[in-house]
Amino acid sequence: MGAEKNYRLTLEDVARLSEVSRSTVSRVINNHPNVSQEVRQRVLKVIQETGYLPHLAARSLASQRSRILGLVFPRSVAAFFADPYFPRFTQGVAQACNQNDYTLSLFIFYSPEDERKLFPRISHRGHLDGVIVQATTANDPIFSTIRNGSIPCVFAGRAPNSKGFSFVDVDNETGAYTAVSHLLQLGRKRIATITGPLDQTAGMDRKQGYIKALQDRGRIVENELIASGDFSRISGYNAARALLPQSPDAIFVASDVMALGALQAIQEEGLKVPDDIAIVGFDDLPPARSSSPPLSTIRQPIMRLGVKAVEMLLDIIESGNQSPQRMIFDTELVIRESCGSN
Amino acid sequence: MGAEKNYRLTLEDVARLSEVSRSTVSRVINNHPNVSQEVRQRVLKVIQETGYLPHLAARSLASQRSRILGLVFPRSVAAFFADPYFPRFTQGVAQACNQNDYTLSLFIFYSPEDERKLFPRISHRGHLDGVIVQATTANDPIFSTIRNGSIPCVFAGRAPNSKGFSFVDVDNETGAYTAVSHLLQLGRKRIATITGPLDQTAGMDRKQGYIKALQDRGRIVENELIASGDFSRISGYNAARALLPQSPDAIFVASDVMALGALQAIQEEGLKVPDDIAIVGFDDLPPARSSSPPLSTIRQPIMRLGVKAVEMLLDIIESGNQSPQRMIFDTELVIRESCGSN
DNA sequence: GTGAAAGCGCTAACAG
DNA sequence: CTGTTAGCGCTTTCAC
């Protein structure tokens, strides 16, 4: 191991020790082809022995690339760290950043104050090489910021007004469609839904999948069976309470966290899940596995979304490719006890 | 609003436009006193109008400070984003970083591979101005890395071998003591505990508080009433199952997440909480509020821990103060239904 | 395949 | 209070 001294070694030092020029050392570090095997080995050895580490700021300044990626959670993603979805996504992003030798820098917005302060840093070229932005409602100021800036960006989730933007997402509509179809196959007659916020595509698309599944089987879509929530547990609880008087025999809930709230409301009413009411959630987060009864749900590959977002972003950065890219992941129906299929 | 062009303005540009030298502009930006009011205003106006933003890398290089703080989750913090504690703490850290114009950079370790790659970046001076490290087991390699490096560091939680390190923490022992004392006052006779991992101070201290509360009231500490977990839900579930044959009438559980698992185990056994068994958890995370029955628990100010960690770290960085600092927050008993006091 | 030289955009003495 | 002058440590033409 190289000594970890206070004195920082520089390229200059390594060059001297390996008896070549700074340029050559730089080439070795950056894997430039124009270095002879012999010299390369010699330099590598010195680097190894000294524990030399390039100075990131110096490198950024000279190369005009910071090798820092931003991960942005807009203010309208209020639920932020209350829903396990976000930490999990963050984990995927962090992992992929490590893998690719990029540094991850986290931006979480709370107040307009934060935005005023941080938006310039995010959108101006020079600080970040690119950003991953959690998609949210159309009117969040983050959109105009990104649009007016010139920084490479990938959205996590399709944003309502994100035409021309790159994004990673899951097929929300098909996921919901699958969930509701399953419920129909099980013979449920009055299938209700608790939607997510309808100003986000995830909320809209999942609702659309619910509607489509019903229609494809010739069922009538009843508005009294549709309640809306905001992905929070309490909103799921309240929505379920509002739904119960309509005597549904099944509910498709647009997120696991809301489903947990709904489950509680149902049970408090003395009703049994799945006997009286079947439930299918969406996300497949850990809490879904440990509820009583365990929650049937639509699994989405959250961590992989994070990883893919980074890879897509790096591709955009490195290729300079301007045309928007997109990647839609499939979901998977996970059957547990809450839907009563076993 | 300044135009967000591809061309980056430099200090030079601002200097020219405001008809002063680069140094003066630099002084204005860095709030140096040696600038006349008049000139300062003029420069500020130009900055405002042009939307000039200093180039961080250039600044870092020249000033030898990156204004980037690292937040590190060691590999042995496996539960990572499964326990809402961490996201919440992260939130506090992110908030405080914004406030102080520092950038937050996140390091989450999964594999030895990650460590090999990232440790040098963390411990070498020059990349990060300081790091906040989530405390964990004594044998995690992060400790030697930090110790051998020369980077300012604050631990979140007291580490088992962190003598001489700065940290923020809560008074775990007193928190546990309070919880158990409350249970005793309610007349519970056979109070069990489910501990956290005993190679972490949070686990040890909470166990110690349990023991002390019992002893202070002249109770005998029975080993059969002590089960250990690892802060995960499933470990709480298993520990509770192991405890039930000893017929406890109360359990102090060292984390809310484990308490939820224990609750489930108890209820599956047909026992009632709090009638048959009272439960008090630790943390006061959102899930504690929404369980049935709601969980009595020991609240710790998680976000404030994050904020304080940053402030402490900045103080160390800016003052160059070497002597270890520490801050211990008080906890608070939150009474809900699971302990049966109402 | 290698080295010399010119910056990248900023800070920080040092003069004045 | 203000300007001049050196760098910070690296990348990147451009010669050779």
Side-chain angles (χ1 to χ4, degrees), chain B residues 11 22 26 30 52 55 59 62:
Chain B
L11 249 202
R22 289 208 313 258
S26 176
N30 296 291
Y52 165 75
H55 191 291
R59 208 176 209 189

Side-chain angles (χ1 to χ4, degrees), chain A residues 11 26 30 52 55 59:
Chain A
L11 247 202
S26 175
N30 295 291
Y52 165 74
H55 191 291
R59 208 176 208 189

Side-chain angles (χ1 to χ4, degrees), chain A residues 233 236-237 253 255-267 279 281 285-295, chain B residues 290:
Chain A
R233 178 177 176 120
Y237 178 90
V253 191
S255 88
D256 285 351
V257 170
M258 287 198 299
L260 259 26
L263 184 61
Q264 183 177 356
I266 293 167
Q267 292 175 156
I279 293 187
L285 292 164
R289 222 186 323 270
S290 52
S291 63
S292 314
L295 213 58
Chain B
S290 52

